[in-house]
Amino acid sequence: MRAFREAVEAGDLAAAEALLAEDVVFTSPVVFKPYPGKAITAAILRAVVQVFEDFRYVREIGDPDGTDHALVFRARVGDRELTGCDFLHVNEDGLIDDFMVMVRPLSGAHALAEAMGARFEQIAKEAQARSA
């Protein structure tokens, strides 16, 4: 999804958040249970932008006019390099309603889990405040 990619690459989190459907479901690469809702998904995105260093999309896969997209990225968490993919599904309104992230290698996933886990209390508070 070109608009989401451009928003993230520009660091425009408000524009990226505007592309999320209210009922979006975020599936983390390091947590079993998905997170439903725009507020928690946006809060996770804001936190991950702080965790990832040298983040860059390297490939976009999918029909630009289709509903399913894959954005391959590279980033660093501390001293761990990782490669990942944002799998996005857009609804009939063109908003992201399914957002699944996968990362590799395992050492990168562990570093991501640790860094995001340290921020999760703040993420939950922010999401709760925005959904109230």
Side-chain angles (χ1 to χ4, degrees):
M1 167 173 219
R2 174 67 58 188
F4 182 80
R5 177 181 181 167
E6 289 174 354
V8 171
E9 289 176 333
D12 188 348
L13 296 181
E17 183 177 338
L19 294 168
L20 300 175
E22 288 298 327
D23 63 348
V24 64
V25 175
F26 179 82
T27 304
S28 166
V30 295
V31 177
F32 176 73
K33 184 179 173 185
Y35 297 99
K38 184 174 183 173
I40 188 70
T41 302
I44 290 168
L45 287 176
R46 284 188 291 279
V48 82
V49 166
Q50 297 170 3
V51 168
F52 280 154
E53 300 172 53
D54 302 326
F55 179 90
R56 65 214 174 274
Y57 284 117
V58 296
R59 190 172 343 150
E60 189 170 342
I61 304 167
D63 176 0
D65 298 321
T67 59
D68 292 294
H69 307 272
L71 302 175
V72 180
F73 64 85
R74 293 189 185 271
R76 193 169 39 83
V77 178
D79 65 347
R80 300 291 180 194
E81 297 279 337
L82 58 88
T83 301
C85 191
D86 292 338
F87 293 97
L88 309 173
H89 180 270
V90 295
N91 63 20
E92 61 277 354
D93 297 321
L95 298 175
I96 299 166
D97 63 359
D98 188 26
F99 190 141
M100 179 175 59
V101 180
M102 300 182 113
V103 297
R104 65 158 309 278
L106 185 57
S107 61
H110 283 299
L112 178 60
E114 184 177 321
M116 290 298 287
R119 289 169 171 76
F120 203 78
E121 186 175 328
Q122 180 60 36
I123 292 168
K125 285 180 185 176
E126 184 180 325
Q128 185 176 18
R130 286 182 166 248
S131 62

